[in-house]
């Protein structure tokens, strides 16, 4: 699930950067990209993957 969130955040970051939309400091393309990288790192770490091992 977090992998999909990361992909969406990267796409939004690309659109903001490609369209050269002037945004405030909180909603800049770099900050959106960093949120996407955080979601991707959590996905790779196994958090939010939806799989649970039960013994």
């Amino acid at each position: 699930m977090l992998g999909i969130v990361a992909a969406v955040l990267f796409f939004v970051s690309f659109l903001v950067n490609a369209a050269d939309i002037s945004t405030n400091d909180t909603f800049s393309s770099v900050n959106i990209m960093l949120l996407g990288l955080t979601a991707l790192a959590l996905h790779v770490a196994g958090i939010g993957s939806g799989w649970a091992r039960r013994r």
Side-chain angles (χ1 to χ4, degrees):
M1 184 67 180
L2 286 174
I4 296 170
V5 171
V8 168
L9 287 173
F10 286 139
F11 182 69
V12 170
S13 174
F14 170 75
L15 287 179
V16 168
N17 192 17
D20 200 26
I21 299 172
S22 62
T23 59
N24 58 9
D25 292 334
T26 305
F27 193 65
S28 68
S29 64
V30 174
N31 287 342
I32 298 170
M33 182 183 63
L34 290 175
L35 287 174
L37 285 174
T38 303
L40 186 62
L42 289 173
H43 174 73
V44 170
I47 298 172
S49 62
W51 295 97
R53 291 187 184 177
R54 307 215 185 229
R55 289 189 167 197

